[in-house]
Amino acid sequence: MSLYKTLFQLSLCMMVIFGGTFVLKYVKTGEVFVDQFSGFFIGLVLFFHCFFGRFMIRKEREERLDLEALFA
């Protein structure tokens, strides 16, 4: 399993667990808990990093192959 796939799954789990708990506690009590919100936010940042990181690495790899083909 690739690193990005594992981190992507971890980020989804973090967003579901912390985000779900945040929403349930907010609806029930009306209070905002920073620990739950920060867990969701970290999962969201990790999600975007993995999502866009895969495309950036793929693009760099294709450019490198194009340069190698050009000089070969």
Side-chain angles (χ1 to χ4, degrees):
M1 188 180 297
S2 72
L3 177 66
Y4 280 104
K5 186 174 182 180
T6 304
L7 289 176
F8 187 75
Q9 291 173 349
L10 175 68
S11 68
L12 287 178
C13 288
M14 286 179 67
M15 287 192 301
V16 167
I17 292 170
F18 289 108
T21 306
F22 173 75
V23 168
L24 289 175
K25 285 186 178 182
Y26 181 73
V27 169
K28 185 177 179 182
T29 63
E31 298 176 353
V32 175
F33 292 98
V34 176
D35 60 337
Q36 300 295 324
F37 183 72
S38 63
F40 173 76
F41 186 72
I42 291 170
L44 188 67
V45 168
L46 188 61
F47 174 79
F48 283 120
H49 172 71
C50 292
F51 186 74
F52 291 115
R54 260 192 293 182
F55 292 116
M56 290 172 44
I57 287 176
R58 187 177 299 156
K59 184 178 177 182
E60 289 176 7
R61 188 178 298 147
E62 289 174 357
E63 289 175 357
R64 194 174 341 147
L65 289 175
D66 289 342
L67 285 176
E68 288 175 1
L70 182 65
F71 291 115

